[in-house]
Amino acid sequence: MNTNRGISSYGNGNTISNNAVGNHARVIATPSAERIRGPLTDSEAPLDPGTWDIGIVTILSEELRSLCDELKLERHKEPGGLYFYRGECTTPDSTVRIVATQTQSQGQRSTMAALENLRRHYTPRLWALVGVGGGIHDEYAQIGNVIVSTEVVYYENRKINPLGDVRRRGEHRQAPAQVVHAVNAFFTDHGTPARIHGQLASRSSQEYEVYPGLIGSGEAVIADRDSDIRRYLAHYNEKVLAVDMEAGGLSQYWQENSVHDETNPGWIVIRGVSDNADKEKGHAHHELAARNAAHVLRLLLPFLC
């Protein structure tokens, strides 16, 4: 009959997982991952399961960098490989938890995928698109100004008739009432337009203006002042002040998720004007527009949260 020699174990305050039973049995202990690699870093630490207040989608690196600088966000890598940027901002009434991400590419589809990643990992109470856009209103949407939008006109749907007759069929969506009220309160306090000091050091002595207005959204990069898209949007609603390629995806994603049992987050679009959607369109003013947009988001936090 075999003699049971007992159980050998190796551990150091860890769950015992190495053991052996029987005559001549022995354990070859494998050191824990922490002893090999050292303690987990902040970016690898388990995610705090608490509530996240705002989930932000950006498209350009300048946009995300501006948000990180303005809101003091820090990079975090999820186990699956996705990168997010997280932080907290204190307002007079609360501490706002913020998470941001960057899409893989421009456009509505990549935006919807980024929103799904935010929902899956963080379930924020509010979605925000923050970054640059093209201005199409000569007075209000000058370069450096910021447009705050709770209404989106998606212009891509159209019917193509014989002889080149194209008739666009716009879709118009508005953010939930509580977001609209928050934006209205911001402009009540700050005026319309709100006048804010520039965020770039080279423009700190200058003011830019912040306007409420509609965003026209589709798949086109518009660099023609005589574009039929610009004409259509001006005819659709003269309060369409800027254009982008992502806000339609945001409003569509919100619409399609409104059938879920859980609370559907509100949404807002904040676009710094980096060009006038004409032949002068380029990258020269991306940083200016992105930094101004990020700053406006920070000013809106006490109203949104």
Side-chain angles (χ1 to χ4, degrees), residues 19 28 30 45 131 152-153 202 217 228 237 252 255 260 267 270 284 302:
N19 58 74
I28 300 176
T30 301
V152 172
V153 178
S202 60
S217 190
D228 69 299
N237 191 319
Q252 180 74 24
Q255 178 74 24
H260 289 184
W267 58 265
I270 303 172

Side-chain angles (χ1 to χ4, degrees), residues 140-155:
Y140 297 162
Q142 297 179 21
I143 290 175
N145 284 357
V146 175
I147 309 303
V148 177
S149 182
T150 56
E151 295 183 70
V152 172
V153 178
Y154 182 71
Y155 60 74

Side-chain angles (χ1 to χ4, degrees), residues 28 71 109 111 119 126 134 165 178 180-181 276 288 300:
I28 300 176
L71 303 176
R109 293 172 298 174
T111 297
R119 176 190 283 276
L126 178 75
D165 178 27
Q178 64 268 29
V180 177
H181 281 291
N276 295 125
L288 167 69
L300 277 162

Side-chain angles (χ1 to χ4, degrees), residues 108 129 132-134 155 215-218 220 242-248 269 271:
Q108 320 290 345
L129 272 176
V132 307
Y155 60 74
I215 297 289
S217 190
V243 290
D244 76 2
M245 298 173 62
E246 292 79 30
V269 181
R271 290 302 191 199

Side-chain angles (χ1 to χ4, degrees), residues 165-176:
D165 178 27
V166 178
R167 300 189 180 184
R168 295 188 180 272
R169 298 172 172 176
E171 294 180 6
H172 188 164
R173 293 196 178 93
Q174 186 176 46

Side-chain angles (χ1 to χ4, degrees), residues 9-285:
S9 66
Y10 184 95
N12 182 19
N14 301 310
T15 300
I16 296 174
S17 57
N18 299 294
N19 58 74
V21 178
N23 193 24
H24 304 302
R26 64 195 182 100
V27 171
I28 300 176
T30 301
S32 70
E34 184 171 321
R35 284 195 294 275
I36 294 174
R37 300 171 57 239
L40 295 176
T41 65
D42 289 342
S43 62
E44 297 170 310
L47 177 65
D48 181 349
T51 300
W52 291 85
D53 298 296
I54 299 182
I56 306 170
V57 173
T58 64
I59 290 78
L60 304 177
S61 295
E62 297 98 320
E63 298 170 345
L64 183 54
R65 186 165 55 249
S66 296
L67 283 167
C68 289
D69 291 344
E70 183 70 39
L71 303 176
K72 304 298 185 287
L73 306 182
E74 295 183 356
R75 186 178 68 242
H76 169 80
K77 185 179 180 181
E78 289 290 342
L82 293 174
Y83 283 91
F84 296 93
Y85 296 76
R86 312 185 309 189
E88 296 181 347
C89 285
T90 301
T91 71
D93 299 320
S94 64
T95 297
V96 182
R97 304 184 76 208
I98 300 168
V99 56
T101 190
Q102 184 176 359
T103 63
Q104 289 194 14
S105 61
Q106 290 179 310
Q108 320 290 345
R109 293 172 298 174
S110 191
T111 297
M112 295 175 78
L115 290 166
E116 179 60 25
N117 288 334
L118 283 172
R119 176 190 283 276
R120 185 157 48 92
H121 289 279
Y122 295 93
T123 58
R125 296 190 300 108
L126 178 75
W127 285 315
L129 272 176
V130 183
V132 307
I136 61 170
H137 192 285
D138 290 340
E139 181 181 357
Y140 297 162
Q142 297 179 21
I143 290 175
N145 284 357
V146 175
I147 309 303
V148 177
S149 182
T150 56
E151 295 183 70
V152 172
V153 178
Y154 182 71
Y155 60 74
E156 286 293 353
N157 292 344
R158 59 196 181 273
K159 179 181 180 182
I160 301 177
N161 294 310
L163 304 177
D165 178 27
V166 178
R167 300 189 180 184
R168 295 188 180 272
R169 298 172 172 176
E171 294 180 6
H172 188 164
R173 293 196 178 93
Q174 186 176 46
Q178 64 268 29
V179 180
V180 177
H181 281 291
V183 171
N184 288 345
F186 170 82
F187 283 105
T188 298
D189 281 14
H190 289 82
T192 306
R195 292 182 170 85
I196 313 295
H197 282 291
Q199 297 308 297
L200 283 181
S202 60
R203 300 198 177 212
S204 60
S205 62
Q206 303 176 22
E207 288 184 335
Y208 63 91
E209 296 179 337
V210 185
Y211 289 90
L214 280 68
I215 297 289
S217 190
E219 301 291 352
V221 176
I222 304 173
D224 180 7
R225 179 172 285 273
D226 297 323
S227 163
D228 69 299
I229 296 173
R230 290 185 58 148
R231 289 196 299 271
Y232 169 77
L233 291 172
H235 177 74
Y236 185 93
N237 191 319
E238 71 278 8
K239 293 184 179 181
V240 178
L241 303 184
V243 290
D244 76 2
M245 298 173 62
E246 292 79 30
L250 169 64
S251 62
Q252 180 74 24
Y253 187 83
W254 175 83
Q255 178 74 24
E256 295 193 11
N257 280 281
S258 63
V259 298
H260 289 184
D261 291 336
E262 65 266 22
T263 301
N264 196 24
W267 58 265
I268 190 170
V269 181
I270 303 172
R271 290 302 191 199
V273 178
S274 62
D275 60 76
N276 295 125
D278 57 16
K279 64 180 182 180
E280 303 299 326
K281 179 179 176 62
H283 305 287
H285 302 294

